Amino acid sequence: MTIARTFSVAALLLAALLALPFAGCGTVASPKLALQADAQVPIWPSPPDPARIRYAGSVTGPQDWGITKSGFRRLIEVFTGSGDEHFIRPTGVAEHQGVLYVADPGARALWILDAAKNQTIKLVRVGQAALESPVAVAVRPDGAVFVADSRLKAVFLLNRAGELIGVAAPAGLERPAGLAYDPASQRLYVADSASQRIVVFGPNLASIRSWGQAGGGDGDFNYPTHLALDPAGTLLVSDALNFRVQAFDADGRFLWKFGHHGDGSGDLAAPKGVAADRDGHVFVVDALFSAVQIFERDGRLLLGFGERGALPGQFWLPGGIFINPRNEIFIADAHNRRVQHFLVNADPSREKPQ
């Protein structure tokens, strides 16, 4: 009886295995986002004006990035009761050469989604430390990634396989919240939100400079949360509770600013992620507005897109934003548990403010 039962189970396993298609054989997968089923893809501004921003898709987990599982893996999941993994509360995002990097404090994990290799890395430990609140990422040209953990008060550098390379300031940071990496100078910029300053690290991950203090003057901060570099190398800082964006040169010299508190178009209510497209326009994510606004450097509003909701192109407490050299936009839509993907169709400065 025991032999018959064992044979029977083995036969069932083999039959189920043969019934499952084997993914990953033959061609190499490429990122393929989960697009809307209908033809009404959201665009901004609304017709008849020319489209400047176009919704491209959403990523809720590896399966939406074109990553498939082998038949054997899916078979194991059938019998173990496990299934597809999904983001929990993504707050930071970056993309490099088809690899998507997502900081997910809800899952206490850094996700590295590599469609070309059909590989998912869900990193919950770095070295001997368990990640507690990974909130931001920045990527080097070689695919190595920096991840800031606000609770561990450190920034970790990992290779593309998720292996620890080094630690930036394991002591000295109070609450690292935002990251930006300059490949030209090999400098890492960190927004240390609780200490109201920007800290700069060199190629060896040693601190080489810092600036800022609590206040509302030029170069002062009131909880800086997100960073980005524009194509000219200007550092953009989301100065959250001063309700503005400040810009600095590579050495921390103040250049310009824009923004003020309010609830109208062009105002800022809860500025989070900041980024610049290849034309130098500044994109600011506003968590309270559940929208993204696009500005000129002088603060002139060019265009806004998004609203509160869970449909494509809508947001619920969005956070980080990343724009790659191809003008593709990735936004961490935290409470919708996804990363949304948009395309810049044309220069938004040609569009009237909404």
Side-chain angles (χ1 to χ4, degrees):
M1 181 66 68
T2 302
I3 294 175
R5 184 181 296 112
T6 302
F7 176 80
S8 191
V9 171
L12 286 172
L13 283 169
L14 179 61
L17 183 60
L18 292 174
L20 291 171
F22 283 84
C25 299
T27 60
V28 176
S30 60
K32 182 179 179 182
L33 301 182
L35 294 172
Q36 281 185 284
D38 62 281
Q40 300 302 314
V41 175
I43 57 174
W44 296 267
S46 301
D49 293 324
R52 305 304 184 196
I53 304 295
R54 182 180 300 273
Y55 171 81
S58 293
V59 184
T60 63
Q63 67 284 349
D64 295 333
W65 196 245
I67 296 174
T68 58
K69 299 176 182 178
S70 68
F72 181 74
R73 175 64 181 170
R74 284 182 284 168
L75 176 63
I76 294 299
E77 290 179 352
V78 168
F79 285 90
T80 61
S82 59
D84 289 335
E85 291 188 295
H86 299 276
F87 305 147
I88 303 299
R89 185 166 50 87
T91 60
V93 61
E95 184 272 346
H96 179 68
Q97 297 182 346
V99 181
L100 191 68
Y101 303 80
V102 179
D104 186 352
R108 297 187 178 185
L110 168 69
W111 300 80
I112 304 176
L113 307 184
D114 190 337
K117 294 183 177 180
N118 199 40
Q119 180 184 66
T120 297
I121 298 174
K122 183 183 179 183
L123 197 69
V124 296
R125 300 189 67 86
V126 287
Q128 301 301 312
L131 291 173
E132 295 186 15
S133 184
V135 294
V137 291
V139 185
R140 294 194 323 194
D142 62 356
V145 59
F146 297 94
V147 57
D149 192 301
S150 60
R151 289 184 185 168
L152 294 179
K153 303 180 180 181
V155 179
F156 303 97
L157 175 60
L158 313 165
N159 65 20
R160 190 164 168 168
E163 299 165 335
L164 182 64
I165 298 174
V167 184
L173 294 175
E174 294 184 30
R175 191 174 182 83
L179 300 176
Y181 180 74
D182 181 6
S185 64
Q186 299 184 53
R187 290 177 176 178
L188 175 70
Y189 296 88
V190 179
D192 192 9
S193 185
S195 69
Q196 316 291 352
R197 62 182 179 144
I198 307 299
V199 185
V200 187
F201 297 90
N204 60 356
L205 300 182
S207 175
I208 59 175
R209 180 179 290 109
S210 68
W211 73 86
Q213 61 182 5
D218 294 348
D220 296 339
F221 300 109
N222 193 359
Y223 291 95
T225 59
H226 294 74
L227 302 177
L229 289 164
D230 74 5
T234 302
L235 181 69
L236 307 175
V237 182
S238 180
D239 189 8
L241 294 185
N242 277 326
F243 307 100
R244 64 185 181 182
V245 172
Q246 294 197 74
F248 301 87
D249 70 11
D251 295 317
R253 286 184 288 266
F254 172 81
L255 297 176
W256 46 267
K257 66 183 178 183
F258 69 78
H260 57 268
H261 186 232
D263 58 5
S265 295
D267 297 336
L268 298 176
K272 295 291 187 180
V274 62
D277 66 13
R278 61 190 178 201
D279 296 308
H281 305 118
V282 181
F283 290 61
V284 183
V285 175
D286 198 297
L288 193 57
F289 288 160
S290 295
V292 180
Q293 298 186 94
I294 310 171
F295 297 90
E296 291 280 24
R297 286 185 170 201
D298 60 7
R300 180 169 62 94
L301 177 66
L302 300 174
L303 186 66
F305 65 95
E307 61 184 353
R308 176 69 180 270
L311 295 175
Q314 298 178 338
F315 302 101
W316 186 11
L317 294 180
I321 181 173
F322 176 82
I323 303 178
N324 67 19
R326 300 183 300 279
N327 261 8
E328 295 178 285
I329 307 166
F330 298 85
I331 298 173
D333 189 8
H335 281 252
N336 278 324
R337 301 186 174 192
R338 64 188 178 185
V339 170
Q340 293 202 68
H341 180 208
F342 302 85
L343 305 177
V344 180
N345 287 359
D347 184 347
S349 64
R350 296 169 52 194
E351 184 55 49
K352 299 179 297 183
Q354 287 189 330

